[in-house]
Amino acid sequence: MARSYVREARRRGLGRRRDRIGPIVERLAREHADATIALRFRSDVELLISVMLSAQTTDVNVNRVTERLFEKYHTPEDYLAVPQEELETDIRATGFFRQKTKALRGTMAMLIEDYDSRVPERMEDLLRLPGVARKTANVVVAERGEAQGIVVDTHVRRLSQRLGLTRQEDPVKIERDLIKLVPRRYWNVFPHLFIWHGRRVCIARRPRCEECVLNDLCPASRIEVVRLPSHARA
């Protein structure tokens, strides 16, 4: 599917990916000026926990769980002070609660032992934490300051493919393609723009191409803009 969109971009004469990325980001920034992370947290530890719990569930569901969770647990030590079964019960609604509990407790223990109960700043240190893969680390780093990569979730993956920005399927390879295309100054906001556009307009099963501000830049758009030859436009 993604391959055909890359070819389709050429067929429709949409221009190079590098030339389209600026207008894509600028239009989405105007359209979704409120785009930001949907998870609710008050500290770096809460940010890390929220992102870890968000795997295979919705941000709305995570916020519902963490509203109570963060009133009960305040420090990394708190997550190790209760029996594992109690923490499992507290996060059960996020799904995969046994695996998530094991990862959370392992991460909290490493924060205490290696990082003075603080969330490390460097990507390589975050990736050492149990249950923290590149996507989670990217989110944490980006929300704390300057992004060191580009978060690739299901929305970013789908929209990057539909827009013909990548022909890859693997999130790590998609991120590599996007890093080459997207100016670094946009790395923090880029995922939020794609996530909100994916939720509001470019919906997986029913994309609203007629409402999309990118329909003339998107090779997957059902609205194909007729482009006149340069001599005709002159």
Side-chain angles (χ1 to χ4, degrees), residues 24 27-28 31-32 197 201 209 211-217:
I24 286 172
R27 292 186 194 183
L28 291 181
E31 187 74 5
H32 307 291
H197 196 64
V201 181
C209 297
E211 302 174 19
C212 182
V213 295
L214 304 178
N215 57 38
D216 63 323
L217 296 173

Side-chain angles (χ1 to χ4, degrees), residues 6-163:
V6 172
R7 291 196 299 270
E8 183 69 7
R10 288 195 290 266
R11 188 191 73 78
R12 295 194 185 190
L14 300 183
R16 299 185 308 163
R17 288 176 284 183
R18 194 174 300 278
D19 294 332
R20 286 187 289 128
I21 195 66
I24 286 172
V25 174
E26 290 165 6
R27 292 186 194 183
L28 291 181
R30 290 194 296 269
E31 187 74 5
H32 307 291
D34 58 339
T36 187
I37 190 169
L39 296 171
R40 293 197 290 268
F41 53 90
R42 298 163 298 187
S43 69
D44 290 344
V45 171
E46 289 186 359
L47 166 62
L48 175 59
I49 291 169
S50 294
V51 181
M52 292 178 70
L53 293 178
S54 69
Q56 305 299 316
T57 190
T58 65
D59 291 345
V60 171
N61 191 36
V62 172
N63 288 336
R64 190 179 299 120
V65 170
T66 57
E67 183 177 7
R68 299 186 300 273
L69 191 74
F70 294 156
E71 290 303 317
K72 179 176 180 179
Y73 304 90
H74 301 100
T75 68
E77 289 80 2
D78 292 339
Y79 290 86
L80 301 177
V82 299
Q84 179 169 323
E85 295 75 15
E86 184 174 344
L87 183 55
E88 287 179 354
T89 299
D90 289 337
I91 68 169
R92 180 184 294 267
T94 67
F96 301 96
F97 59 92
R98 289 191 179 89
Q99 298 95 310
K100 290 180 180 180
T101 296
K102 182 179 179 180
L104 279 179
R105 287 169 66 89
T107 286
M108 296 302 108
M110 187 172 286
L111 292 185
I112 294 167
E113 294 169 8
D114 296 350
Y115 300 104
D116 195 27
S117 295
R118 298 177 181 177
V119 178
E121 296 182 0
R122 299 190 309 168
M123 178 76 73
E124 52 265 42
D125 290 326
L126 286 166
L127 292 174
R128 290 185 60 227
L129 302 174
V132 175
R134 185 166 181 85
K135 174 191 167 186
T136 298
N138 264 331
V139 173
V140 172
V141 171
E143 291 304 314
R144 297 175 75 191
E146 185 176 351
Q148 296 179 26
I150 295 176
V151 177
V152 177
D153 77 336
T154 54
H155 295 291
V156 175
R157 177 175 178 265
R158 186 179 76 253
L159 269 65
S160 296
Q161 291 173 339
R162 284 183 171 178
L163 285 161

